[in-house]
Each structure stands twice: as structure tokens, then as C-alpha cells.
Amino acid sequence: MRHIDDDERRARLARRAGLVGGHPDVLSATTAMTVLHATEAATVHLALWARVPGVTVADVDAALYDDRTLVKQLAMRRTLFVFPRDLLPAAWGSAAARVAAQQHQQVIKFVTAGGFADDPEAWAAEAYAATLACLADGVPRSTAELRAQVPVLDGRFVMGTVDKKWGGEFPIGRWVIGTLGARGRVVRATNAGHWRLNRPTWTSTERWLGTFDEPWAADAGYAELVRRWLRTFGPGTEADIVWWLGATKTIVRRALADVGAVAVGLDGGGQGWVLPDDVDPVDPVEPWAALLPTLDPTVMGWRERGFYLDPAHTPYLFDTNGNAGNTAWWDGRVVGCWVQDDAGVVHTVLRDDVGAAGRRALAAEAERLTAWLDGVRITNVYASPQMKSARLP
């Protein structure tokens, strides 16, 4: 069994993520990462800024809304991602279908809680059909606009208790539309707000994408997702893939077998997996610096992060659910975070001594990101404790 040590894993990470050398365009960069996290809208643009030299907001928006080579899709772990268009059918038949089933059960639960109908399944079927009929003309509509035109979507139910932060009365439309999105029947179309904010409009998948492949069989879909994950993140452990995919060990083991994955040894005595044509050693890279956004796909690629993250830093740079805030990297390791002041200037907050060369390189990245943002301030839902407590000069 070949052994891939932490140094080689960090070199692989740097090259494949485009943090050394970069990628030529936004589609290439997204494909290289398998998918991009999109729960926070700004992550998409900032993740591509870090990987595509000279990229602009207009370049990213063109891929999402004009060329439509990138598409937002609810999938693994009920998380919103940006997918390369060609990977969608694999996800629709596997990870997204799993999420769609979960979403549908939520719809049934809320229909029952709201007392909307004696037959929740029939109510849901009619709501799905009415929503699709409304969107059949191809005109993108916001959730609020859909609720206004499809009255059943405005039915209200109580979730939790109204005196709690996450409790209150809610319209069911969000879950109906979300289920259709996970099924691949509707997609997020144009964004109705600033690029740093999620203000989606919705339309039918057929209208948005035109010709597209039907969902793959589940096993084939999972195998393709795991194949691409290994190309991006390998070597990784079974636990990494189970976590990233939001699936079971049985599903992951079947997918690993289907793609012919090869076992390799890892530092610390663990076992990882790579694709059969990805066993050869890779050359080391020179020290590099990067500033990555909240929920960046590289930071969120693995569950077992010890090869690039000091475990002592985890409580400062991740929330209790394992969501990463903004991160600062030096020579293949997370060494702190970055924040903005009131004027939009980017500052790094370091937890490690990176030496003079590291400080210079990170300062240059902060200056470059400040210029690119040009006064735009990013608001993070998943700000890390370190970001929240940062004291700026």
C-alpha cells in the first residue's frame, strides 16, 4: 500500500484547488472543486476570486445566469451548492434525490401541523403541480411572487415556539419549492439582489437549461460524485466521504468499489482512498498564501482536517456544527482568518507565527482582496468565533 504523507496531501490540495497556479476560468475552477458551497451567496464569487486570476463578478454572474454552465442545486447534506451543469443528472438521481425525500417528508409534516388537508400527500401533489404550472411560462419568480400567484404556497404553520429565535409562523411555500428544487424540477434562476446576498428567483429546469439529461440511477450517480470528490480531494478517508456526501457507509463503500478506488496509507496510521490513476507521487510546491471565504469548498472538503488544520484552532475558526468561517492559509495550513473593517479593508487575524515571508504574502493577499471588493462589505451568517471577536487596528 502506497503511503501519502501530509506534505504530499497539502501539495495536492494546493494544485487541485487552484490555490497555486490558478484555473483558467470559472467553469474549470468549479469543475476542479467538484462543486462550490453556495449557502452564503458571496462564497461563490470569493471562492472563484481565490482560484481564477483576474476573475470579475461579471464573469461569475455570466456563468450562473447567462451561459448557465454553473447551476445552484440543493444536494449533499441539504446544502446549497453550485454545480457544473454536466454533474447535475448524477446528483439529481443520488444525493439530491435523498434530500428531496427528506424535504417532502417535511412538507407532509407541516401540512399536517397546519391542518391544511385530511390527505397531506394529495395536498402536496397538488401544490407541486400548481407551482410547476405557474413556472411553465419560463418567467423567473421569487418565492414571494410564487406565494402570491399560487395561494396554497402561502398556507401558514407554526414551527417551534414563537418566542424562540428560530420559531414562529411560516408559509409552507419555501419547503414546497425546495422539494421541487431538490428533485431537479425547478432551479434557482437570476438573483434578485446584490451578488453577496441570496435573493433567488425560480423557474422550471426545462426553461432554464433547455435540453438536459434525465437523473441517473442512484448507484451510478453516487459513483460519479465520489469519483469527482476523489479527483478533487483524494486521498480522503471513508469518514470524509460519508460526511461530505451526507450518505451512509454502505452507499460510500459501494461507490468506492464502483470507481475502483485504491487504498493508501496516511500519516497517523489511517487509510485513505484515491482513484486508480492517481497513485503516483506529486511534486512539492513553494510556500503559498490564500484568503478563502466562509464555507469554502477546500476548507469544507474533509471531515478529518488534521493535515491542514491544528485541532486547537477548530473552536476559533469553525462553529459548533463544523462550518468554517473565513480562513487565512500559509504553506498549506489554516493559520487564522480574515475580516473587514467598516471601510471594507481586509485584515488577517493570525493564530500561528508564519514568519516574515508569510506575513508579507498574506498582507499582499489582503491588499489584493480589498481592491477586488472595492468597498463591498461581506456579511457572514456563519462567521466564526475568531471573526466575531477580532479587534481591528
Side-chain angles (χ1 to χ4, degrees), residues 44-119:
V44 178
H45 294 74
L46 293 172
L48 290 167
W49 166 83
R51 295 169 168 86
V52 182
V55 74
T56 65
V57 169
D59 294 333
V60 180
D61 286 350
L64 286 168
Y65 310 126
D66 298 330
D67 303 333
R68 301 172 191 177
T69 54
L70 303 180
V71 181
K72 292 185 178 181
Q73 172 69 42
L74 193 69
M76 296 75 74
R77 305 190 315 279
R78 285 194 288 181
T79 297
L80 183 64
F81 294 95
V82 165
F83 276 75
R85 178 172 169 162
D86 73 300
L87 187 55
L88 285 171
W92 286 335
S94 56
R98 182 182 179 88
V99 170
Q102 297 167 344
Q103 291 280 110
H104 175 69
Q105 289 306 309
Q106 289 289 91
V107 170
I108 299 304
K109 174 184 173 181
F110 297 147
V111 168
T112 302
F116 300 158
D118 293 333
D119 186 343

Side-chain angles (χ1 to χ4, degrees), residues 299-361:
V299 189
M300 299 296 291
W302 299 266
R303 182 181 182 183
E304 299 177 340
R305 303 173 171 126
F307 74 98
Y308 70 82
L309 175 71
D310 184 337
H313 296 342
T314 301
Y316 301 96
L317 302 176
F318 291 75
D319 69 16
T320 54
N321 293 318
N323 297 307
N326 297 342
T327 50
W329 291 66
W330 173 242
D331 198 17
R333 302 174 192 272
V334 176
V335 295
C337 71
W338 62 270
V339 293
Q340 290 176 280
D341 62 23
D342 291 342
V345 176
V346 174
H347 303 266
T348 57
V349 182
L350 303 183
R351 300 199 62 81
D352 286 340
D353 182 0
V354 298
R359 290 192 296 273
R360 285 194 300 271

Side-chain angles (χ1 to χ4, degrees), residues 6-21:
D6 287 351
D7 286 338
E8 183 177 346
R9 293 184 76 182
R10 289 191 290 269
R12 286 169 171 252
L13 176 160
R15 285 199 176 91
R16 297 178 187 193
L19 302 175
V20 167

Side-chain angles (χ1 to χ4, degrees), residues 133-170:
C134 182
L135 293 173
D137 61 5
V139 177
R141 293 174 174 88
S142 69
T143 301
E145 289 169 335
L146 280 171
R147 291 207 316 267
Q149 295 181 36
V150 184
V152 293
L153 299 182
D154 203 37
R156 306 291 172 127
F157 66 93
V158 174
M159 183 168 62
T161 57
V162 295
D163 60 334
K164 299 296 184 182
K165 181 178 180 181
W166 300 111
E169 187 179 71
F170 300 93

Side-chain angles (χ1 to χ4, degrees), residues 361-386:
L362 286 166
E365 284 298 287
E367 200 172 304
R368 189 168 73 90
L369 181 54
T370 298
W372 190 82
L373 287 169
D374 193 24
V376 171
R377 296 189 70 249
I378 305 301
T379 302
N380 297 109
V381 175
Y382 294 97
S384 66
Q386 184 80 73

